[in-house]
Amino acid sequence: EQFRHLLDHAKEWAIGDDAERADYMAQVPREHLQAFVNAVWPLMGEIEAWCQEHREEAPESDEVMLFDWMCESAAEAVACHVEPEAED
């Protein structure tokens, strides 16, 4: 779909447990974390809207959970670790 290019990021960063996610962020190189934020942050609004649109489906799809948790990781990364780079 429209976010297919982010699937590898979703698989890596879809960490539902807060402590596990924080530990992982503390271990990855800052450059890796920055690349993740740069890829995801510009699309956060669109991704979150897509997740919201599909969240009520039963059962909730794996894709919705992956992308929802990925967004949570991106938001935490921006809040605690790196700044999103400005778009041109």
Side-chain angles (χ1 to χ4, degrees):
E1 291 180 6
Q2 60 192 5
F3 307 120
R4 187 176 307 271
H5 66 287
L6 297 175
L7 189 56
D8 287 340
H9 288 298
K11 288 178 180 177
E12 178 180 2
W13 290 98
I15 305 168
D17 181 86
D18 294 343
E20 187 179 329
R21 185 173 51 252
D23 288 346
Y24 185 69
M25 282 190 193
Q27 294 174 13
V28 298
R30 184 175 180 84
E31 298 79 20
H32 185 71
L33 190 58
Q34 186 71 57
F36 163 63
V37 167
N38 292 346
V40 174
W41 197 255
L43 299 170
M44 284 284 285
E46 293 174 55
I47 297 167
E48 289 175 337
W50 179 83
C51 288
Q52 182 65 36
E53 180 181 325
H54 296 283
R55 196 171 285 126
E56 300 304 317
E57 296 171 2
E60 186 175 55
S61 73
D62 291 343
E63 291 83 6
V64 171
M65 287 188 290
L66 281 174
F67 281 93
D68 209 14
W69 286 335
M70 178 188 71
C71 286
E72 194 171 326
S73 292
E76 184 175 329
V78 169
C80 301
H81 300 283
V82 297
E83 293 286 326
E85 290 183 358
E87 295 184 52
D88 294 332

